[in-house]
Amino acid sequence: MASKQRYKVHHSTVLDAGPDAVWAELRDVLKMVKIIFSGGLGSAEWVEGGSLDRVPSRYNFTVGPDRDLFQQQVAGRDEVQRSVTYRSVAPVLCVVDYVATYHVREVTNDPHRSFLEWTRDVQVADDTQPEVVEAVLGMMAAQIDAVRDFFAPPDPSSQP
């Protein structure tokens, strides 16, 4: 059996929306999936009786031109701490195991902004090429930017 390469990834950003408004969107992992994959997302749905209000709860989504199937599970949600923990339930692409948690936190001196922290533990097959690992980790960095951009105020110069 091939061993696995393990990566701990931590990203954070400040969002231009208060924590309650951000949490109203991000407590639903399917909304998060839609934000981070936007145009590349095929389908995203709860499976096996899963739902927003049930934990644990399984969901699937497809991404990319080949519609690669991601099978994941919400493993925990803390409404007070505004955090979601989710994990992979099946390998996809080079990722053989994945656990992630994101937290929405207050910015103490600005109630109209919030802080998003996202920690991920990713294991890939040992024979995964370094450029593939780099691409996967780069995609994760771009995802936090997608969330930041989702909550950014509209650019007045782009208005007709």
Side-chain angles (χ1 to χ4, degrees):
M1 179 175 189
S3 63
K4 299 169 183 122
Q5 300 175 60
R6 183 176 179 170
Y7 300 88
K8 282 272 227 197
V9 182
H10 181 86
H11 294 104
S12 62
T13 191
V14 175
L15 305 174
D16 288 319
D20 291 337
V22 171
W23 183 242
E25 295 290 326
L26 300 187
R27 71 180 293 273
D28 182 347
V29 73
L30 290 184
K31 286 184 179 180
M32 175 67 109
V33 166
K34 290 174 185 173
I35 292 168
I36 64 176
F37 288 108
S38 65
L41 183 67
S43 62
E45 61 192 358
W46 297 107
V47 297
E48 299 179 5
S51 72
L52 173 61
D53 296 318
R54 183 176 163 203
V55 175
S57 219
R58 292 230 3 226
Y59 61 99
N60 292 344
F61 60 96
T62 59
V63 175
D66 295 333
R67 296 296 182 228
D68 295 307
L69 176 64
F70 290 73
Q71 300 173 34
Q72 298 185 339
Q73 177 185 57
V74 174
R77 182 182 310 107
D78 186 326
E79 299 289 344
V80 174
Q81 296 295 317
R82 296 186 189 104
S83 69
V84 172
T85 298
Y86 61 100
R87 65 180 192 85
S88 62
V89 294
V92 63
L93 306 172
C94 66
V95 178
V96 295
D97 192 36
Y98 176 83
V99 177
T101 300
Y102 57 85
H103 293 212
V104 177
R105 302 192 187 279
E106 295 179 9
V107 173
T108 55
N109 63 349
D110 189 345
H112 304 293
R113 298 178 90 197
S114 54
F115 185 70
L116 177 66
E117 288 185 291
W118 201 346
T119 303
R120 307 177 207 204
D121 185 344
V122 183
Q123 290 183 332
V124 299
D126 191 46
D127 59 353
T128 304
Q129 297 297 316
E131 60 271 11
V132 174
V133 172
E134 187 175 312
V136 167
L137 299 178
M139 175 189 68
M140 291 178 181
Q143 290 173 344
I144 193 110
D145 293 343
V147 176
R148 182 200 61 222
D149 295 348
F150 179 82
F151 288 101
D155 181 0
S157 66
S158 67
Q159 302 296 321

